[in-house]
Amino acid sequence: MNSLHRRLATALRWNRYWRWKLSHLRAAGASCRTLSTTASEPGPLDPIEIHKRKLFLWFSHLPQEEKQFGGYFTPETMHVDPLILERNPEERVGFQSSPLQPQTTPIPPVTINQLFESARSLNEERGINVVLYGAVGTGKATVVRKLVLDWCNGVTLTQFKLLVPFSCEDLSQLTKVASLRDLVGRKYLHLKRHPLLSGDGAQAKNVLFLFNGMEKMMLDFRMGTTELCDDPSEALPAGAVVVNLLRKYLLPEASVLVTTRLSAVDIIPQKYVTRYAQICGFNDPQRQRAYFTSRLLLQGRDGAQNQAAQDLVELLYLNLQKQNQLAAACFLPSYCWLTCATLHYLRFTNAKSPLRTLTGIYTSFLRMNFGGEVLGSGTGVPIPDRQNSLMLYVVQTVGKLAFDGVTNKRTSFSENELEQWIGGKTKTDEELRQLVTFRTDVVDFFLAPCVDSGRHYHGDLCEGDERRFVFAVPAMQEYLAALYVVLGENKSVLEKLTKQVSVAIGQASEDVNTLVSILSKFIPLRIFTIFNLLKLFPKLFEKFNSQNKGSIARTMAAEMFRKEDSYNEDVLDQMEQSLLGFHGPQPRHYTKSQPFELYPIFMGGLLHYGNRVLLQQLDCSIHSTTVVQITKALRKHLVRELNKPQPPEELMDLLVLLYEFQNPRLTAEVVASLRAIRLPNIRMTSLKCFVLSSVLSCTPGSYHLQVLDLSSCLLTPDMLRSLLPAFRHAQTINLQFNSLGPESCSLLRDLLLDSRSCIHTLLLCDNPLLDSGVSCLLDAFPDNQTLTHLSLMHTGMGDQSARELAGRIQQHSSLQEINVAYNNIGDSAALSLVDVCREHPNIHTVHLYLNPLSDVGKQSLYVRGSQSSSSRKVRVLASVTEGHDVSDDWHPILSVIRENASSWDRERVQQQLKVFLRDLEWGRQQQQNFWKRIHFRRVERGVRETLRMLERDAPSGSP
């Protein structure tokens, strides 16, 4: 019987061969007959060339997550080769070494092309199987993409005429049986009947099959489960086709490249694998630097942005060389991507950039690494359909660990704690297998041994020492803790049981009420009305559930405004410092403990619709009713907290929370309770300016801030441009101490001319505007009638701009106060300015102190200010004295000097204070009244204290 089967199989094989030969002869004859008529027409394209072209177009598509970098690069320019090492079969599942641990026996790296070339030379007739494996995030998908593109361009694997890539995730979804040729034809129609896949002769030696992500297929190599098949045209389940290719029973001359994770390496029996290779990520800072450079130094930027990007890469590289926790995390290319995306978001976000949020970056990061996956056993044996979402299991285990750490203010965990929180309640064999797979592939992705202490990474522990584990990226702990809470996984056992009982009673009550309504028609007993009580339980549960969502909102508000975190840096600066480190002196209120201020911000960001859509793809659903309940309660708590005075850093964090939430209605209701936004000394960036403008843009046009204080914020003209939407809602704008130059005045002029602006007070003190900038700003006077107070103190004004200001004042009837103190205005220009102000209908105060005015000039200013044709006195603040008397405004003048003396020219201020002392001494000597002499003494004491303060705060090397 067996010999009969063999003869039949041989006859069928020869029959297929002669049919194929006859078809080719007929095609050749037909081409000869039509040669004379088609000689001028181009022949049909080679199917392999069509295949290369289509593959190149498909694999050149950038993932959606990569487009946030601006789209200036291609897969060729952004790729950095990770370290690939060949492994012996006995060490194939060994733990990958740390980049921070010195290698005792260095292994030379290899390329995919070298793996096939050397193995092919050993066996010319039989194809080879290469298993390329690596941990989650080491760059397997990127290597595959680059490999396919290089083959299409003829750069690598040129020994193979045909490369056929398959996604194992795609193959695992096939429900119908199909032959190998049908599988290829279904994915690549142009290869449906290609002779290289026919199985005739040794043509298959020119074919390479690539199966990416083998861990997502349930392959079974047992003979009793997967039958043998050597016919490429015989229909089989997709897994059986792959198994027979790897067995070398189907197309034995073809070669196969398989990529998989660590947990699935042993699914393929060792006897079917020719070579093992492990992707080890970026094992040195140089590879990491090349990766950061390819994404942060993009084309299409101007010189200033390109220089800023170069400085950013240098700072990041310096931090990586310290061999800290960030360097250990960037061992995985996935965390390099997360670092790049975060830095790009922090440094290069502006109004022209795609809308991005920090929560969205972390959600996209998880989708790239765990999108659509289920928790499998990793044994290769099919398990029942009762499969859980892998990401949901991550939240229930690792997220629970993160939540415990945030609650107890801990960032490191012992091995016993990991054992307790991750898999401590597993019972069945299936759960144990799933736990092994989860720990191998997932836990090491999120958690890494602590290296900040510098004592150990994977080495032996000292006696009495305990190995501690931390999250690879600190913000990931806060993100997972926030996701754990928002998904409702932190409920108690009673709450979960109450929900199940409520659902059961709700379903049963409908059936019971239907039955009772029927019986009551025949048996009119009032006792049946008691069953209506069943309807009350679900309603009570819904009320209880809404209270639970209110507790989430209370947690968000409480974590946002913690008193112990009030003096920390704002949360965006904390993120940047965690990536770039500290360069220079530590902040004033620096603490080494983790503040966990991103935790409530992530909670708000996860409620955004865009992030909920991404989480839905990970089988982590946040229902709209949950969002509504949390939002409703959160508004009340935020408004209540904002009624209390908040530090600038806390206020900036609130703006970031509202921006991450992306809920215009909630933002408008919360911001409506703010009368002033004071952010002095906040290091503003393009991102923070964009956040502030985005938040205020959610408010109606009728909303106006009384004060918007952005003093000492390191603003630039580009930042001012992005802040224009926010400025339109402010009545008082304070831009003091920002080093704004003349080029900024054109933006401020346009702002004053904007009909939507309502600016009453504009404070431009201590900015080098110079005469050209002031002249540009004054061009707005004829058409602006809302400005009442203008401060140009210490802006580099001279006589020219002072005279121009005097000529433009009459064109602006609403001005009430002008401050041009501490400039370079002489007597003549000052007198001209005061004369014009005397005739103005509304101006009542002019500041001229700390200008190079003579004694005669000061006296003339005082006299002219007090004499007016309209019998209205104009206050002229030029000195602490007015003639023989002390000026009524001596105290405001000294207060301004004390507040700003540390940033002004110390020598010039001291000289002016000495002039004040001389005027006070001369005026005191002219006084006969004892009480007036006492008053002069008091003012002198204040001037001398200011002088001593300047001398005490002077640098050690100054005279």
Side-chain angles (χ1 to χ4, degrees):
M1 183 65 67
N2 291 336
S3 61
L4 179 61
H5 278 296
R6 283 196 297 270
R7 286 196 297 270
L8 286 174
T10 303
L12 288 173
R13 195 177 300 114
W14 277 103
N15 186 24
R16 287 196 303 269
Y17 172 76
W18 283 113
R19 279 187 299 178
W20 171 80
K21 191 72 174 176
L22 182 61
S23 64
H24 274 259
L25 289 174
R26 288 174 179 173
S31 63
C32 291
R33 288 192 299 270
T34 59
L35 182 61
S36 60
T37 60
T38 62
S40 60
E41 298 179 4
L45 292 176
D46 183 10
I48 293 183
E49 293 301 322
I50 298 175
H51 182 61
K52 287 184 177 181
R53 185 180 61 187
K54 292 191 174 183
L55 275 186
F56 185 83
L57 292 175
W58 175 253
F59 281 86
S60 295
H61 289 170
L62 291 175
Q64 186 66 31
E65 289 78 9
E66 296 286 6
K67 295 180 180 179
Q68 64 181 315
F69 295 104
Y72 296 114
F73 56 85
T74 61
E76 292 83 2
T77 59
M78 74 180 184
H79 181 76
V80 177
D81 291 321
L83 178 67
I84 300 178
L85 300 177
E86 185 174 4
R87 298 295 189 185
N88 296 324
E90 58 272 10
E91 63 178 3
R92 62 189 184 277
V93 293
F95 192 86
Q96 53 191 7
S97 60
S98 164
L100 306 181
Q101 185 179 8
Q103 300 289 338
T104 55
T105 56
I107 303 174
V110 297
T111 64
I112 304 297
N113 198 31
Q114 292 172 348
L115 290 173
F116 282 97
E117 285 179 349
S118 57
R120 175 69 74 175
S121 61
L122 298 177
N123 191 347
E124 293 289 344
E125 298 181 356
R126 186 184 181 89
I128 64 173
N129 295 339
V130 175
V131 174
L132 181 66
Y133 66 94
V136 178
T138 49
K140 297 183 294 297
T142 306
V143 168
V144 168
R145 182 187 300 115
K146 185 63 166 53
L147 180 69
V148 174
L149 291 176
D150 286 346
W151 178 81
C152 294
N153 292 324
V155 177
T156 188
L157 297 176
T158 55
Q159 65 270 34
F160 298 106
K161 294 181 180 180
L162 181 61
L163 172 63
V164 186
F166 285 103
S167 168
C168 291
E169 182 178 9
D170 184 24
L171 294 178
S172 66
Q173 302 302 317
L174 297 179
T175 55
K176 296 182 179 180
V177 295
S179 65
L180 174 62
R181 304 194 72 176
D182 289 338
L183 281 179
V184 175
R186 181 181 297 182
K187 306 303 176 185
Y188 309 102
L189 181 61
H190 44 277
L191 299 177
K192 188 169 185 179
R193 295 299 173 189
H194 200 280
L196 291 178
L197 302 174
S198 63
D200 297 323
Q203 298 184 84
K205 70 178 182 180
N206 298 317
V207 180
L208 172 63
F209 291 97
L210 193 159
F211 296 99
N212 185 30
M214 192 199 62
E215 71 279 353
K216 298 176 183 177
M217 288 190 72
M218 296 300 172
L219 300 182
D220 194 345
F221 284 82
R222 295 176 297 179
M223 298 293 293
T225 307
T226 305
E227 62 176 316
L228 296 175
C229 176
D230 66 345
D231 186 0
S233 301
E234 184 174 345
L236 293 172
V241 173
V242 177
V243 167
N244 280 286
L245 280 173
L246 291 170
R247 285 172 172 168
K248 293 305 174 192
Y249 201 80
L250 177 62
L251 298 183
E253 299 85 5
S255 296
V256 180
L257 173 62
V258 172
T259 67
T260 185
R261 291 180 179 172
L262 292 173
S263 61
V265 173
D266 288 334
I267 290 181
I268 306 177
Q270 182 181 337
K271 62 182 179 180
Y272 297 136
V273 180
T274 311
R275 306 185 77 171
Y276 290 95
Q278 181 181 9
I279 300 182
C280 298
F282 298 151
N283 65 321
D284 61 88
Q286 294 298 332
R287 293 179 188 265
Q288 297 167 0
R289 182 175 186 175
Y291 185 93
F292 298 138
T293 302
S294 68
R295 279 165 169 73
L296 297 177
L297 294 181
L298 304 179
Q299 300 175 358
R301 287 182 177 156
D302 56 24
Q305 284 186 324
N306 192 46
Q307 183 60 44
Q310 290 179 1
D311 296 340
L312 182 65
V313 172
E314 289 298 325
L315 290 175
L316 183 58
Y317 179 65
L318 289 175
N319 196 29
L320 291 174
Q321 287 182 315
K322 298 177 182 178
Q323 294 189 353
N324 54 13
Q325 200 67 48
L326 178 64
C330 289
F331 174 47
L332 296 178
S334 285
Y335 279 111
C336 288
W337 180 91
L338 181 61
T339 301
C340 279
T342 305
L343 285 176
H344 196 274
Y345 165 76
L346 293 173
R347 286 295 186 95
F348 302 115
T349 297
N350 51 45
K352 299 179 182 179
S353 305
L355 182 62
R356 294 168 297 174
T357 62
L358 191 61
T359 314
I361 290 174
Y362 274 75
T363 307
S364 299
F365 171 75
L366 293 179
R367 188 186 68 167
M368 284 195 304
N369 289 281
F370 302 104
E373 294 191 36
V374 296
L375 185 64
S377 61
T379 61
V381 180
I383 59 176
D385 294 334
R386 188 170 47 88
Q387 296 175 333
N388 298 321
S389 163
L390 179 60
M391 193 60 225
L392 185 59
Y393 191 75
V394 169
V395 175
Q396 294 170 345
T397 53
V398 184
K400 188 175 183 180
L401 176 71
F403 175 73
D404 179 73
V406 170
T407 304
N408 298 303
K409 305 303 174 187
R410 296 188 303 121
T411 58
S412 64
F413 309 91
S414 65
E415 291 183 284
N416 291 333
E417 290 171 330
L418 296 186
E419 183 72 25
Q420 173 188 355
W421 293 110
I422 301 175
K425 298 181 180 179
T426 55
K427 298 179 181 179
T428 65
D429 292 341
E430 178 185 326
E431 290 176 339
L432 288 175
R433 288 195 298 267
Q434 291 179 350
L435 179 61
V436 171
T437 302
F438 182 75
R439 285 182 173 175
T440 303
D441 288 339
V442 180
V443 175
D444 291 336
F445 178 77
F446 288 104
L447 295 165
C450 180
V451 299
D452 284 341
S453 61
R455 292 179 299 174
H456 57 264
Y457 190 84
H458 292 296
D460 296 331
L461 300 178
C462 301
E463 185 177 357
D465 199 1
E466 183 182 17
R467 177 176 293 172
R468 308 289 295 180
F469 292 85
V470 297
F471 280 83
V473 174
M476 185 60 71
Q477 177 180 356
E478 299 175 75
Y479 178 89
L480 291 177
L483 187 57
Y484 179 78
V485 173
V486 172
L487 289 176
E489 295 295 333
N490 63 327
K491 295 178 181 178
S492 64
V493 177
L494 179 61
E495 291 173 340
K496 294 180 180 180
L497 180 62
T498 304
K499 180 179 179 180
Q500 295 174 358
V501 172
S502 173
V503 173
I505 292 179
Q507 296 174 349
S509 62
E510 297 178 1
D511 300 333
V512 171
N513 287 326
T514 303
L515 179 63
V516 169
S517 63
I518 296 174
L519 293 177
S520 62
K521 296 181 182 298
F522 304 98
I523 308 176
L525 298 177
R526 296 183 180 273
I527 191 63
F528 287 116
T529 59
I530 196 173
F531 288 99
N532 290 327
L533 295 176
L534 293 175
K535 298 180 181 180
L536 295 177
F537 193 86
K539 295 180 180 179
L540 291 174
F541 173 76
E542 287 297 328
K543 187 173 182 180
F544 175 77
N545 192 38
S546 63
Q547 293 292 332
N548 184 41
K549 299 301 186 293
S551 66
I552 295 178
R554 284 194 300 272
T555 301
M556 293 174 63
E559 292 291 335
M560 176 63 63
F561 300 104
R562 293 177 62 90
K563 291 184 178 179
E564 54 266 36
D565 298 335
S566 299
Y567 296 100
N568 292 331
E569 300 290 324
D570 65 83
V571 68
L572 296 179
D573 278 354
Q574 292 178 29
M575 280 292 296
E576 187 169 315
Q577 290 164 3
S578 68
L579 298 176
L580 303 179
F582 290 105
H583 299 274
Q586 298 283 4
R588 290 176 300 165
H589 302 281
Y590 173 72
T591 57
K592 291 186 178 181
S593 59
Q594 182 76 13
F596 296 111
E597 292 186 77
L598 272 174
Y599 171 53
I601 292 176
F602 278 140
M603 292 174 69
L606 288 170
L607 301 179
H608 171 43
Y609 176 76
N611 290 321
R612 287 192 285 129
V613 170
L614 294 179
L615 289 172
Q616 182 67 39
Q617 298 174 14
L618 297 171
D619 289 336
C620 297
S621 301
I622 302 175
H623 299 291
S624 298
T625 54
T626 301
V627 177
V628 171
Q629 293 170 352
I630 295 177
T631 303
K632 184 178 179 180
L634 180 62
R635 181 185 62 81
K636 299 178 181 179
H637 292 294
L638 291 180
V639 170
R640 185 182 300 118
E641 291 293 336
L642 288 178
N643 290 329
K644 309 172 187 176
Q646 300 293 341
E649 293 79 8
E650 295 295 304
L651 198 54
M652 188 69 236
D653 292 347
L654 172 68
L655 296 175
V656 175
L657 170 65
L658 295 176
Y659 172 75
E660 292 282 328
F661 212 123
Q662 292 291 309
N663 187 324
R665 182 175 179 180
L666 171 69
T667 300
E669 292 175 349
V670 173
V671 175
S673 63
L674 287 174
R675 295 291 87 194
I677 295 181
R678 303 182 187 275
L679 302 173
N681 300 311
I682 293 293
R683 186 184 65 88
M684 295 298 287
T685 61
S686 59
L687 171 61
K688 296 177 186 177
C689 294
F690 180 70
V691 167
L692 177 58
S693 294
S694 299
V695 169
L696 289 180
S697 296
C698 295
T699 59
S702 58
Y703 170 75
H704 299 303
L705 275 172
Q706 294 179 357
V707 178
L708 178 57
D709 186 357
L710 296 175
S711 58
S712 303
C713 290
L714 303 178
L715 294 176
T716 63
D718 289 336
M719 295 181 191
L720 282 184
R721 187 174 291 106
S722 64
L723 283 170
L724 290 179
F727 289 158
R728 296 191 185 103
H729 291 275
Q731 296 177 344
T732 297
I733 299 177
N734 186 357
L735 299 177
Q736 185 177 5
F737 287 114
N738 278 296
S739 300
L740 298 174
E743 64 278 5
S744 304
C745 292
S746 60
L747 297 171
L748 298 173
R749 176 200 58 197
D750 296 340
L751 176 65
L752 292 175
L753 293 175
D754 192 340
S755 59
R756 293 170 291 179
S757 66
C758 58
I759 300 176
H760 296 168
T761 303
L762 182 60
L763 306 178
L764 297 174
C765 319
D766 303 289
N767 291 293
L769 304 180
L770 306 180
D771 288 338
S772 59
V774 174
S775 176
C776 179
L777 187 66
L778 295 179
D779 291 340
F781 271 29
D783 298 318
N784 177 276
Q785 297 300 321
T786 62
L787 192 64
T788 59
H789 294 74
L790 177 63
S791 178
L792 297 172
M793 180 175 64
H794 195 205
T795 55
M797 288 179 59
D799 290 343
Q800 176 185 349
S801 54
R803 290 191 176 93
E804 187 172 357
L805 175 61
R808 296 291 187 97
I809 281 180
Q810 292 298 337
Q811 300 175 349
H812 200 297
S813 59
S814 301
L815 275 178
Q816 299 178 11
E817 184 175 350
I818 298 175
N819 188 345
V820 290
Y822 194 17
N823 281 299
N824 299 312
I825 303 175
D827 291 348
S828 176
L831 290 171
S832 300
L833 180 61
V834 172
D835 287 341
V836 174
C837 293
R838 288 170 52 201
E839 304 301 326
H840 195 276
N842 292 314
I843 292 180
H844 55 73
T845 304
V846 180
H847 299 256
L848 283 166
Y849 46 88
L850 297 184
N851 277 295
L853 303 173
S854 64
D855 294 338
V856 177
K858 294 176 185 177
Q859 183 64 26
S860 301
L861 289 173
Y862 167 68
V863 174
R864 295 195 186 187
S866 59
Q867 296 176 356
S868 176
S869 58
S870 59
S871 301
R872 187 180 60 84
K873 182 179 179 180
V874 177
R875 295 170 58 202
V876 180
L877 281 66
S879 177
V880 293
T881 59
E882 294 178 350
H884 300 292
D885 295 327
V886 175
S887 172
D888 294 338
D889 301 302
W890 68 271
H891 191 272
I893 293 175
L894 287 183
S895 298
V896 171
I897 294 175
R898 290 193 187 102
E899 291 175 2
N900 302 286
S902 59
S903 58
W904 285 351
D905 184 356
R906 192 180 304 274
E907 184 177 352
R908 179 176 173 179
V909 173
Q910 288 177 339
Q911 182 180 358
Q912 289 291 330
L913 290 175
K914 291 177 181 178
V915 172
F916 288 170
L917 284 177
R918 186 194 63 192
D919 294 343
L920 289 169
E921 290 176 357
W922 180 83
R924 176 168 49 82
Q925 293 174 0
Q926 304 301 318
Q927 293 293 336
Q928 301 299 325
N929 188 307
F930 174 77
W931 298 110
K932 286 188 176 183
R933 291 167 67 92
I934 292 296
H935 188 43
F936 269 93
R937 293 278 188 187
R938 177 188 174 192
V939 178
E940 286 182 45
R941 187 166 57 252
V943 175
R944 294 185 189 280
E945 288 178 358
T946 306
L947 268 174
R948 284 194 295 270
M949 180 191 71
L950 288 175
E951 294 172 355
R952 184 174 59 252
D953 297 339
S956 57
S958 62

